[in-house]
Amino acid sequence: MKLKQIVSAAALLAAGLWVLSLIPFSSTIRQEIPANIYTDGAVTSTTTVTIDGKRTNYIVRENSYFGEFSLPEVPRTEREGVNVSIRWNDAKTNTQFLIYHTAGTSISLIPGRIAISEDMTRFACYLEDGTVLATSDEAYKNYTAHVTYDSETRLTTIDGAVPAI
């Protein structure tokens, strides 16, 4: 009888943990983050990135963000109905997928991958013209030491893991 109770309790615990793994713990993120535009290693201008969406944390799956991630340098990111999804799931390179969506269609507005902190206040990524958007010199150096982008071929190469931004 006691064995039956232990097995039942273990089954209930396993089912409870499975249900918890499916439930997202979400938070709203609304912030404007100042960033620099780098051309050939030098800051050539500054900008502000607007982030307004929902960050979802799961217990056993990758975390994600969905919402606005608009850059004045890429006007299409500022259009009504354009949203981005970011998934934190590549521990090997410490970079994240950044995919823009509009009306159910994925569109490529920023090439390759972004290195972004979990709180979304520090990041670095290439823009289509080969310039780099980064929130600090340190983020720029860490990112470009491991990630390269060829604006002619539109190919991104990642060498090793980008240190945490």
Side-chain angles (χ1 to χ4, degrees):
M1 187 67 153
K2 189 168 182 132
L3 179 63
K4 196 175 198 180
Q5 289 175 333
I6 292 172
V7 170
S8 294
L12 281 173
L13 180 63
L17 288 173
W18 178 75
V19 168
L20 274 177
S21 74
L22 300 176
I23 299 172
F25 298 94
S26 300
S27 59
T28 300
I29 296 181
R30 284 192 177 99
Q31 54 196 14
E32 291 186 347
I33 306 295
N36 299 319
I37 304 292
Y38 293 82
T39 305
D40 298 324
V43 175
T44 54
S45 65
T46 59
T47 190
T48 300
V49 177
T50 302
I51 301 171
D52 186 359
K54 190 167 284 215
R55 171 124 163 96
T56 305
N57 300 309
Y58 290 92
I59 294 174
V60 295
R61 293 191 299 182
E62 73 256 8
N63 298 329
S64 63
Y65 168 81
F66 185 82
E68 179 183 0
F69 193 90
S70 63
L71 312 161
E73 289 67 30
V74 185
R76 290 179 62 192
T77 65
E78 298 186 304
R79 290 184 184 166
E80 185 72 29
V82 173
N83 289 295
V84 71
S85 60
I86 301 172
R87 294 184 326 212
W88 282 261
N89 67 344
D90 193 346
K92 182 179 174 185
T93 65
N94 200 28
T95 60
Q96 293 74 37
F97 290 107
L98 182 93
I99 303 168
Y100 281 88
H101 307 274
T102 183
T105 304
S106 297
I107 51 178
S108 176
L109 299 178
I110 294 179
R113 305 274 197 109
I114 186 171
I116 187 168
S117 62
E118 295 260 343
D119 64 1
M120 300 183 74
T121 59
R122 298 173 314 281
F123 48 83
C125 65
Y126 276 98
L127 301 179
E128 286 188 332
D129 63 1
T131 59
V132 176
L133 171 77
T135 53
S136 68
D137 289 342
E138 179 185 13
Y140 169 81
K141 289 174 186 170
N142 286 340
Y143 183 73
T144 58
H146 297 277
V147 181
T148 57
Y149 172 70
D150 185 326
S151 59
E152 289 182 24
T153 62
R154 297 182 54 115
L155 292 176
T156 300
T157 305
I158 303 171
D159 183 22
V162 176
I165 299 280

